[in-house]
Amino acid sequence: MRKISLCAILCVCGITTAISQFLSAKIKIDIDRKIGDIDRNLFGNFTEHLGRCIYGGIYDPASPQANADGFRNDVIKATKALGVSIVRWPGGNFSSGYHWMDGIGPLSGRPRRKDLAWGDIETNKVGTDEFLKFARASGVTPYICVNLGTGTWDEARNWVEYCNAPAGLFFSDLRAKNGHREPYGVKYWGLGNEMDGSWQMGHRDADSYSKFALEAAKLMKWSDDSIKLIASGSSDYGDGWINWNRTILTNMHDAIDYISLHHYSGNYHNDYYQFMNSTLFVESVIRITEGLINEVRTRFSMQKPIYIAFDEYNVWYRAGSAEKLEEHYNMEDALVVALYLNTFIRHANVVKMANLAQLVNVIAPMMITDDKLWVQTIYFPLQLFENNCKGYAIDALVQSDTYDTKDNKQVPYLDVSSSFDETTRLITINVINKNESKPIRTSIINQSGHLEDDATVYELNSQSVKDENSAGNEKIRTNQQELKINGDNFDYTFPPHSFTMIKLRLIQKLP
Ligand code: AHR
């Protein structure tokens, strides 16, 4: 992208650097430039049997916060306020050693086992019926990941029968006996977790995983042909990741509805701009996988779509397994989470599900300390996107000053996505100003229809990118302001290292 800064022009003319404090940009939005419908499943989350996510997180019968089923009311309330649409369970790496029949029936009969993924003792107090109760109480769609590590085809298909078949079969009768006569109708099923990773129990090469998973898929769909299946795509971005996805798509294209992708980011070298670049790679992975989907659909003359389920993403680099993955998030981490969300919106035509890993305590937007729930910095961009980005994604034109890092040249400071909801006529413009120290004065131009004068601005910012919230001090939170605009072009200045969502409304057209 060509640099357009006023500074560059003035510096060439020999004018002093005082004026170079100003950076500038332009954003044009046009609701006719539709990328794709924004699937509500983009605003998903994930709960794994790991550390304090399930036990001491969503489930804690001893807590004064617990409901009659042992689930915490404060977590349920915060999950609803966040706007979470779908929750993946029971893992993660945990799922590759999990035998679901351990987690059904009377609690007293459930075995204690060592979970080899994380080294914890699994009491099996939360199993299928409990998780589905939590999902119902929180108003989220359940998404179950089956064990294709140490598990069998039979276990996978019996689990579908347990959840979804009408009473009258062995496993559905077992469900009825366990207190739930009506089928749960679990629609989304993952075919294993991160099977490309050598760390995974039952890791296989792409060919053997896809052949094994294809048989599981066949039996699961024969048990309930309405379910949607998600194949295990790339999580390990070594040399072979493209081949992994191509093999999975080639061998399984008829059987699957989604291919999953996972990615975590970290500020490994305390280099702010390098950290801000981490989602450039995510964007490339999405583009390449979309290309592979198109290749396979063309080769096999497919009508059926295959989508991407980005079913694990987050910032995660400080807390290792010993600390049970309890990250404390700061302002720059919140910006990276907003960058992930912008990336998913910009690819809303093909990314139809995304799940932040995870919901509570473990690499999570909400934490429980001394039995009180508090929210981390990353809670706020998630909440803004989940509650406001509806309808379809718009392809916004962005011209902005750029920066260079060792690995990436000419990266625009402004990262932008945009959405339009035809029902409410609300437009969102979602902007991360990656510049650490300078505001960016931006000319915003609406090119289709006319804007109402009243707009709302939500901003997430803090003095330092290292600022974070803690149990007694939620100092970073969304700041909301009303904005008066006049006409279809207006200027807005995005503060340094900030995330801003501008909510505009198009005037209702007269019939
Ligand atoms: O979310 C934590 C872990 O990260 C998951 O168990 C695994 O799938 C991934 O490697």
Side-chain angles (χ1 to χ4, degrees), residues 82 313 337 341 356 365 378-387:
L82 193 54
Y313 73 94
V337 167
L341 293 162
L356 180 99
I378 64 169
Y379 186 91
F380 298 102
L382 290 161
Q383 187 183 35
L384 285 171
F385 276 93
E386 296 179 12
N387 287 291

Side-chain angles (χ1 to χ4, degrees), residues 46 48 92-93 118 193-194 264 312 316 325 357-358 363:
F46 170 39
E48 177 166 10
N93 297 339
W118 300 104
N193 175 68
E194 296 190 350
Y264 292 94
E312 283 187 36
W316 170 27
L325 279 56
Q358 302 192 4
I363 46 174

Side-chain angles (χ1 to χ4, degrees), residues 348-489:
N349 59 314
V350 65
V351 183
K352 294 290 184 185
M353 188 196 296
N355 304 69
L356 180 99
Q358 302 192 4
L359 187 66
V360 55
N361 293 329
V362 173
I363 46 174
M366 47 181 110
M367 300 292 286
I368 288 160
T369 307
D370 299 333
D371 212 36
K372 295 252 170 352
L373 184 144
W374 58 278
V375 293
Q376 302 226 50
T377 58
I378 64 169
Y379 186 91
F380 298 102
L382 290 161
Q383 187 183 35
L384 285 171
F385 276 93
E386 296 179 12
N387 287 291
N388 295 301
C389 284
K390 299 186 176 156
Y392 61 82
I394 303 173
D395 185 9
L397 179 133
V398 184
Q399 289 176 333
S400 145
D401 281 295
T402 61
Y403 64 93
D404 293 343
T405 60
K406 190 166 57 64
D407 300 328
N408 302 91
K409 306 291 173 218
Q410 301 210 315
V411 184
Y413 281 118
L414 292 194
D415 186 281
V416 180
S417 76
S418 183
S419 67
F420 177 60
D421 182 352
E422 285 168 301
T423 322
T424 57
R425 303 193 64 73
L426 282 172
I427 293 175
T428 68
I429 308 178
N430 315 305
V431 182
I432 295 109
N433 176 6
K434 296 181 180 181
N435 194 296
E436 197 177 355
S437 55
K438 292 182 186 171
I440 301 189
R441 188 173 172 80
T442 304
S443 160
I444 299 177
I445 300 160
N446 174 48
Q447 299 187 291
S448 184
H450 298 295
L451 295 175
E452 285 185 0
D453 291 346
D454 295 318
T456 309
V457 176
Y458 304 93
E459 185 189 294
L460 195 67
N461 198 358
S462 188
Q463 208 149 28
S464 160
V465 293
K466 301 296 183 194
D467 286 344
E468 55 181 61
N469 290 349
S470 60
N473 184 10
E474 289 180 16
K475 69 179 195 188
I476 301 180
R477 44 179 49 252
T478 305
N479 175 22
Q480 179 177 340
Q481 290 167 15
E482 299 315 307
L483 178 73
K484 277 277 176 217
I485 55 173
N486 190 5
D488 291 310
N489 301 347

Side-chain angles (χ1 to χ4, degrees), residues 489-509:
N489 301 347
F490 61 99
D491 285 348
Y492 191 84
T493 300
F494 295 102
H497 60 259
S498 63
F499 168 58
T500 307
M501 175 181 281
I502 302 182
K503 214 158 85 176
L504 306 158
R505 196 187 295 271
L506 277 188
I507 291 169
Q508 188 73 46
K509 282 185 202 140

